[in-house]
Amino acid sequence: MNGTLPEDAALSAVADWLSASSSTVVLTGAGMSTESGLPDFRSTSGWWKQIDPRRVASVEALEQNYSLFAEFYRMRLERLHDCQPHRGHLILAEWERRGIVSAIVTQNVDGLHQRAGSNQVAELHGSLSRIRCHACGTGAAVERFMNGDRCGRCGGKLRPAVVLFGEMLPEDAWEHAVQAISRAELLLVIGTSLEVYPASQLPLMTRGRVVMINAEETALDHRFALTIRGKAGETLQQLERLLTGKNEEDGSEK
Ligand code: BV8
Ligand code: ZN
C-alpha cells in the first residue's frame, strides 16, 4: 500500500502495525523538535533560510571564522535552554517503556528524546550540550564554551560535539542505527527532510515497512508504505489514542 490514505484510515493502519510489530524503530529529525520551540533547518522558518550552513556548521567555519561559528552555537544552546520535550517526545519514551519502540535514531542534537525519558537513543549527529576541544578532544563544561574560554589543556578552540558538514558520523551511533533499522519490522520516520547524507539513506536500508510522518513532502516519500502529512506531536497523540483506546485529554475510555 503506497501513498496517502484518508487521514483516519492511515492512522489506524499505523496503529495496527505498531501493535503487531516486534521491533519498531523511530528515525527523527528537526521537525520532531519544532513543537518544543526549536527551529528546524530547511522549512520556511528554518535556520538555513537565515544563514548558509557552510558559514557556520562546517569545519572550515570553525577554523576560519571561529567567532561566527561560536556565536551561532552559543545562540543554539541558549535557545535550547528554555525548551522542554513536547507530548510527542513523552509518548515515544512511554512506547519504549511499553515495548512498542525498541530504539530511536535521531539526527537531532538537542537531547530532547533523552530528557523525555527515552533510553535507547542513537545520536547520529552528536550532541549540542557536550563540549570538547577541537584540537585535543578534551571535554569541557558548557559554561566554558558559553564564556568564550579556550581549552584548559592546550588552549585550542572549544566546540559542541555535533557532527559538522564534512565530518564523519560517530562510528558507534551509525553502527547501532544501521543494525536496528535494518532488522526493524516497522520504521517510523518523523520530522525530517531526508536531505542530509548518510542519515537520509537509513530508511532505504530496512527490511520492514516505512511510515513517513512529516509536515511537508520529501523526495523519498514515494519509496515508503505510507505517508502521513501532519505534525509530529499531534500525530503521535492520535496514534497513542488509537493504541490505548482512550482519549488523551480527559483520560476517559472510548
Ligand atoms: C559525511 C550540524 C562522510 C549539527 C548537521 C552532495 C550531495 C550529497 C551529500 C553531500 C554533498 N556534499 C556533501 C555531502 C555530505 C553532507 C550532506 O549530506 N550534505 C547535504 C546537505 C547536501 N553530509 C555530511 O557532510 C555528513 N558527513 O557525509 O561524512 C564523509 C566525511 C568526510 C569526507 C567525506 C565523507 C555530516 C552531516 C552533517 C550533520 N550535521 N548540522 C547541527 O548544527 O545541528 S546537518 C543538519 O541537518 C542538522 O544536524 C539536522 O540534523 C540535519 C538534518 O536536517 P533535518 O533534521 O531533516 O531537518 P530539516 O529542517 O531539513 O527538515 C525538517 C522537516 O521536518 C521538514 O521537512 C519540515 O517540513 C518538517 N517539520 C517541521 N516541523 C514539523 C515537521 N514535521 C512534522 N511535525 C512538525 N511539527
Ligand atoms: Zn585542547
Side-chain angles (χ1 to χ4, degrees):
M1 170 169 51
N2 198 342
T4 43
L5 291 168
E7 173 83 10
D8 46 3
L11 284 167
S12 47
V14 176
D16 293 346
W17 295 342
L18 277 167
S19 310
S21 166
S22 61
S23 70
T24 296
V25 176
V26 182
L27 169 65
T28 62
M32 183 71 211
S33 299
T34 53
E35 290 160 83
S36 288
L38 288 176
D40 63 13
F41 294 90
R42 293 171 188 82
S43 58
T44 38
S45 54
W47 284 115
W48 302 156
K49 291 291 177 284
Q50 303 164 48
I51 189 160
D52 177 351
R54 284 161 307 208
R55 288 190 56 224
V56 286
S58 63
V59 177
E60 51 270 11
L62 189 160
E63 288 171 354
Q64 282 151 30
N65 194 342
Y66 183 66
S67 54
L68 179 67
F69 169 90
E71 192 190 328
F72 175 67
Y73 280 102
R74 275 198 282 274
M75 186 252 298
R76 295 269 303 280
L77 276 159
E78 263 144 32
R79 291 284 302 250
L80 184 52
H81 201 67
D82 321 329
C83 290
Q84 298 296 329
H86 60 72
R87 192 88 196 85
H89 290 107
L90 297 170
I91 286 171
L92 289 178
E94 171 65 18
W95 286 359
E96 179 188 285
R97 278 191 290 278
R98 292 196 335 238
I100 294 171
V101 161
S102 44
I104 291 180
V105 174
T106 188
Q107 299 172 82
N108 298 338
V109 295
D110 54 37
L112 290 177
H113 285 300
Q114 294 93 322
R115 281 178 55 193
S118 291
N119 297 304
Q120 299 303 318
V121 181
E123 292 179 313
L124 295 177
H125 294 162
S127 162
L128 207 46
S129 28
R130 232 185 1 258
I131 304 296
R132 68 162 190 262
C133 172
H134 185 60
C136 72
T138 308
V142 183
E143 296 67 37
R144 305 280 318 282
F145 176 67
M146 297 308 277
N147 298 338
D149 296 351
R150 288 295 173 113
C151 171
R153 191 148 162 264
C154 76
K157 294 171 181 165
L158 296 180
R159 52 159 292 170
V162 296
V163 180
L164 299 173
F165 283 105
E167 289 187 316
M168 300 295 277
L169 274 60
E171 191 66 36
D172 53 339
W174 177 251
E175 269 315 305
H176 182 81
V178 171
Q179 289 298 324
I181 287 178
S182 53
R183 292 194 193 120
E185 266 179 54
L186 179 63
L187 174 66
L188 298 189
V189 182
I190 306 178
T192 175
S193 63
L194 292 176
E195 285 187 22
V196 174
Y197 175 89
S200 54
Q201 305 307 299
L202 287 168
L204 309 177
M205 296 162 73
T206 184
R207 67 184 177 102
R209 267 197 194 105
V210 183
V211 174
M212 182 66 174
I213 299 171
N214 207 54
E216 290 168 302
E217 192 179 349
T218 77
L220 291 174
D221 283 2
H222 65 286
R223 301 282 299 267
F224 303 146
L226 208 51
T227 303
I228 295 180
R229 185 73 56 241
K231 296 181 81 172
E234 280 163 27
T235 306
L236 287 165
Q237 286 178 66
Q238 288 166 315
L239 288 169
E240 172 64 350
R241 272 199 286 280
L242 288 166
L243 286 175
T244 55
K246 76 173 190 296
N247 211 326
E248 283 274 298
E249 276 79 41
D250 56 16
S252 62
E253 294 298 318
K254 249 199 178 141

